Amino acid sequence: MIDISHLAKKFAVESPKKLSEQEKKDPRLKGRFFHSVKDVSFRCEKGEVVGLLGPNGAGKTTTLRILSTALKPEQGEVHINGINVLKDPVLARKKIGFLSSSTGLYGRLSGRENIAYFGQLHGLSKARIDEKIAEMADLLDMHSFLDRRAENFSSGMKQKVSIARAVIHDPELVILDEPTTGLDIMATATVMSFIERLKAQGTPVIFSTHHLDEVQALCDRVVVINLGETVFNGTTAEFADLSGGHMHQSFLHTLNGTKEEHSNVVNL
């Protein structure tokens, strides 16, 4: 189980005068700091899939990068099975499998070599690495391109290898940042099946997406972040019930509620 409590992260703004009008109007801009994440809290139990939703710039990726230990928050805690992993980044990386939306593969290495390299970083034996690669090649349908150079891969091929690389060490938690973006229907179906398998194994999964059909198909819980704060945290059924079963309308409902609250604060 992962428990995320009151995360906050701000960034210094080097040239406030160069910000766009939209950026200047963002209520998270305070002086020379932009508070990307202000207060994010949620949890993911064993065997649950949590869908992380929010508009572009809401703070989703910053939140996920904090969980991966790529960023250090100003405040907040992250506990995995009772252990505060933010206090020990090395331990966190052993427990977490993280797929970033921006981390590329080593183009001159084959798919197999990319995966094996990360297995070596995690201290796995060659025999265990070979075993895991064979297993994931079956699950992610990678046999046809596994030994080709990554620089020649399609988007779907790259994403499959990146997912395999992220879970080579059998992590206790898997975090996927928009894992199906840019994929065709077949590749998307393969990735979704892989997430379902992680869930069946009892591995908690947190993934961000803009595709509400994926949320409806896979997720046990939904978390919506807007303007750096958690504005919804509940079951998928509770989320759908916000608008009589229409997921898109439920999403807009949570965002409009945030805007109305901010407007009231400004008017006061």
Side-chain angles (χ1 to χ4, degrees), residues 66-116:
I66 291 172
L67 301 186
S68 75
T69 72
L71 291 175
K72 186 176 181 179
E74 268 70 48
Q75 68 178 45
E77 295 183 342
V78 177
H79 290 87
I80 297 179
N81 295 327
I83 299 173
N84 189 341
V85 295
L86 294 183
K87 293 183 177 180
D88 189 344
V90 175
L91 176 62
R93 290 167 199 147
K94 292 179 180 179
K95 292 181 174 290
I96 297 172
F98 179 62
L99 172 69
S100 168
S101 59
S102 59
T103 302
L105 302 175
Y106 296 102
R108 294 181 65 83
L109 299 182
S110 68
R112 184 186 303 276
E113 289 168 338
N114 269 281
I115 301 169

Side-chain angles (χ1 to χ4, degrees), residues 25-42:
K25 292 178 181 178
D26 194 310
R28 290 174 291 174
L29 181 62
K30 305 291 184 182
R32 297 188 63 85
F33 289 95
F34 182 78
H35 296 258
S36 177
V37 173
K38 295 172 62 181
D39 188 0
V40 169
S41 300
F42 62 93

Side-chain angles (χ1 to χ4, degrees), residues 38-260:
K38 295 172 62 181
D39 188 0
V40 169
S41 300
F42 62 93
R43 65 170 50 193
C44 184
E45 302 286 349
K46 182 178 180 180
E48 278 190 340
V49 178
V50 171
L52 191 62
L53 304 177
N56 289 333
K60 303 187 303 299
T61 294
T62 299
T63 297
L64 296 184
R65 292 185 69 194
I66 291 172
L67 301 186
S68 75
T69 72
L71 291 175
K72 186 176 181 179
E74 268 70 48
Q75 68 178 45
E77 295 183 342
V78 177
H79 290 87
I80 297 179
N81 295 327
I83 299 173
N84 189 341
V85 295
L86 294 183
K87 293 183 177 180
D88 189 344
V90 175
L91 176 62
R93 290 167 199 147
K94 292 179 180 179
K95 292 181 174 290
I96 297 172
F98 179 62
L99 172 69
S100 168
S101 59
S102 59
T103 302
L105 302 175
Y106 296 102
R108 294 181 65 83
L109 299 182
S110 68
R112 184 186 303 276
E113 289 168 338
N114 269 281
I115 301 169
Y117 176 61
F118 270 64
Q120 292 167 6
L121 291 177
H122 284 290
L124 302 184
S125 68
K126 184 179 184 305
R128 181 56 177 162
I129 290 172
D130 291 343
E131 178 185 343
K132 288 294 297 182
I133 291 177
E135 175 188 335
M136 288 185 288
D138 289 336
L139 293 172
L140 292 169
D141 190 22
M142 298 190 296
H143 286 290
S144 63
F145 60 86
L146 193 58
D147 292 302
R148 289 165 48 187
R149 277 191 177 185
E151 62 189 1
N152 299 317
F153 284 177
S154 67
S155 296
M157 294 173 185
K158 289 178 181 177
Q159 196 72 324
K160 289 179 180 181
V161 170
S162 295
I163 291 173
R165 187 176 68 173
V167 300
I168 183 77
H169 58 303
D170 292 320
E172 296 178 31
L173 168 71
V174 174
I175 301 171
L176 306 172
D177 190 3
E178 299 186 12
T180 63
T181 296
L183 303 189
D184 61 26
I185 294 174
M186 295 302 295
T188 295
T190 300
V191 172
M192 291 181 69
S193 295
F194 186 75
I195 294 174
E196 289 175 340
R197 184 176 183 274
L198 290 171
K199 176 179 177 178
Q201 292 175 333
T203 303
V205 178
I206 300 170
F207 81 100
S208 66
T209 182
H210 291 291
H211 303 292
L212 294 176
D213 56 332
E214 295 176 1
V215 173
Q216 198 158 23
L218 290 174
C219 295
D220 302 284
R221 300 184 64 83
V222 174
V223 173
V224 181
I225 296 177
N226 194 32
L227 297 174
E229 299 183 57
T230 304
V231 295
F232 180 87
N233 180 12
T235 67
T236 306
E238 290 169 342
F239 182 69
D241 286 345
L242 292 176
S243 62
H246 300 285
M247 299 287 281
H248 181 73
Q249 291 301 319
S250 294
F251 178 64
L252 293 178
H253 174 79
T254 60
L255 301 188
N256 289 335
T258 309
K259 291 177 181 177
E260 290 172 5

